[in-house]
Amino acid sequence: MNALYPLQAEEVIVPDTLEFELPPELEATEPPEARGLSRDEVRLMVSHGPDGRLIHTCFRKLPDFLDPGDVLFINTSGTMSAALQARRENGAPVELRLSTHLPGGLWVVELRVPSGNSTEPFLGAKTGELLNLAGGATATLHAPYAHDNIVQSDRPTRLWISTLSIPESLEEYLERHGSPIHYGYVKESWPQDYYQTIYTTETGSAEMPSAGRAFTPELITRLVAGGVQIAPLILHTGVASLEADEPPYEEFYRVPPATARLVNAAHETGGRVVAVGTTVVRALETVTDGAGIAHPGEGWTNLFITPERGIRSASALLTGLHEPRSTHLAMLEALAGREHLDAAYTGALSEKYLWHEFGDLHLILR
């Protein structure tokens, strides 16, 4: 089930997703640690599909809602310090964000410029432009990133195919000159450790796979002691701020043979396949065939999961709370159904849950 780059694009029809107003006070502006909480003391909303029940609790209570034989599938990708300060040839400052590392030393990168206390996409770059980075490094913009492999030169873009020229290893360079990507709702810069899960094994994500942030060693020990298995995979996330009408773009994934076997074993024995994050669902769905059988594999996936397509692998999902009209909500609806999802988000707003990567979590049981 290996996917080879470049992928052939399919027609992507973005479905209507939940629309609601997200009050600014429900945006998590800092890590829970800054609010006097440990990682696993964020709130947890548990929504049950069959009867529509909502339970409001603490993430530390997660083992109470899982059974022996359930398997938690986690994304062990670590977060890069992917934001770099750069200057155009005319001296104008831009922020270059590394998104996806492609074969042949190529990168998909995003360009942004300051806007008030935040940044916004920069759409004025040119093919062949050389950007100067700190420490004598450079980035060359080769072509607009095209999802259908056809460059639309008349359409401004914030995403580019680029190569980097840096004087040291990428890891050393990013540690010295990069910073974690953050958006305007996070008012301060936080150290890289705040953007890592405790089970990171391989750095490669532009943004944190944040559904797993609340896990602690103690909590994982309790889960395993209670008969819940933990299975790893990799999906390196790209930048999240998609432009209007952009289909999902390629992200690298790796599903090991042992992980694929655990998906199939859970299905056979009646255990639940609990995906920790939408990234895990995307990777598992990429390697699960039409009969619901998971296979090991690695490559690049541009899979877009909608209610019309459905979900073949996961039977439960632990995730954050997603923004209004987000395409992630289409995946949640594919798992839970619109009525379930609408009730859950109504409850989250009413109970004043916190959104975004430093916010609260939602366990969907169907």
Side-chain angles (χ1 to χ4, degrees):
M1 297 287 288
N2 288 354
L4 300 177
Y5 182 86
L7 298 175
Q8 294 301 314
E10 299 177 359
E11 181 182 6
V12 174
I13 300 175
V14 179
D16 291 332
T17 55
L18 287 183
E19 294 193 23
F20 55 91
E21 293 297 324
L22 178 60
E25 63 268 21
L26 298 189
E27 297 185 298
T29 61
E30 58 189 1
E33 295 92 322
R35 308 194 298 269
L37 303 175
S38 68
R39 286 189 176 218
D40 63 357
E41 287 183 308
V42 296
R43 299 174 71 192
L44 174 68
M45 178 176 63
V46 183
S47 62
H48 293 259
D51 55 16
R53 281 186 301 137
L54 297 180
I55 298 173
H56 304 290
T57 184
C58 173
F59 187 76
R60 192 172 286 176
K61 300 287 188 181
L62 177 66
D64 295 347
F65 302 96
L66 300 177
D67 300 321
D70 290 346
V71 186
L72 278 174
F73 292 83
I74 60 174
N75 182 5
T76 63
S77 176
T79 311
M80 300 182 292
S81 292
L84 298 167
Q85 298 306 308
R87 288 194 176 274
R88 303 183 68 200
E89 293 171 329
N90 63 5
V94 294
E95 183 175 280
L96 181 142
R97 295 181 172 182
L98 302 183
S99 179
T100 304
H101 197 183
L102 302 175
L106 298 173
W107 281 89
V108 178
V109 301
E110 178 189 30
L111 300 180
R112 299 180 73 89
V113 290
S115 176
N117 295 323
S118 184
T119 62
E120 63 183 13
F122 176 63
L123 306 179
K126 305 297 182 185
T127 299
E129 186 169 349
L130 184 73
L131 303 177
N132 292 300
L133 308 173
T138 59
T140 302
L141 306 181
H142 296 293
Y145 176 69
H147 301 285
D148 54 6
N149 302 317
I150 300 173
V151 175
Q152 296 173 297
S153 59
D154 60 339
R155 180 179 179 181
T157 181
R158 66 185 173 87
L159 295 174
W160 287 81
I161 299 291
S162 173
T163 51
L164 304 178
S165 175
I166 55 178
E168 54 194 317
S169 74
L170 179 67
E171 182 178 0
E172 292 172 331
Y173 184 81
L174 295 182
E175 183 176 352
R176 190 187 310 272
H177 298 291
S179 61
I181 290 173
H182 74 275
Y183 294 96
Y185 52 81
V186 177
K187 304 304 180 186
E188 300 179 33
S189 296
W190 296 93
Q192 180 71 3
D193 287 350
Y194 285 87
Y195 291 88
Q196 301 291 2
T197 63
I198 62 158
Y199 45 67
T200 291
T201 62
E202 177 182 320
T203 300
S205 283
E207 299 184 13
M208 175 175 53
S210 56
R213 188 186 189 277
F215 283 97
T216 62
E218 296 78 12
L219 182 56
I220 288 179
T221 299
R222 287 174 53 211
L223 287 163
V224 172
V228 175
Q229 296 188 74
I230 311 291
L233 57 78
I234 288 284
L235 187 137
H236 292 320
T237 68
V239 291
S241 53
L242 299 180
E243 294 178 294
D245 301 323
E246 278 189 3
Y249 47 82
E250 293 89 342
E251 294 174 319
F252 179 82
Y253 72 92
R254 182 187 308 117
V255 177
T259 296
R261 286 196 297 269
L262 282 171
V263 173
N264 299 328
H267 288 165
E268 291 169 2
T269 60
R272 286 179 293 200
V273 172
V274 184
V276 178
T278 58
T279 60
V280 170
V281 176
R282 197 178 193 204
L284 290 181
E285 288 297 297
T286 298
V287 299
T288 299
D289 63 27
I293 305 299
H295 305 265
E298 69 175 67
W300 282 262
T301 179
N302 61 358
L303 183 63
F304 184 31
I305 299 169
T306 65
E308 290 72 25
R309 179 193 181 276
I311 289 179
R312 303 160 183 165
S313 58
S315 49
L317 172 62
L318 177 69
T319 185
L321 292 157
H322 300 282
E323 294 160 325
R325 297 168 293 279
S326 164
T327 55
H328 288 303
L329 293 170
M331 179 189 294
L332 272 59
E333 186 177 338
L335 178 70
R338 174 60 71 93
E339 186 176 351
H340 178 161
L341 197 59
D342 184 62
Y345 271 69
T346 298
L349 290 166
S350 175
E351 295 293 325
K352 300 189 182 304
Y353 278 72
L354 295 180
W355 260 248
H356 305 311
E357 66 269 27
F358 293 138
D360 298 316
L361 290 165
H362 178 198
L363 176 63
I364 301 174
L365 301 175
R366 68 177 183 184

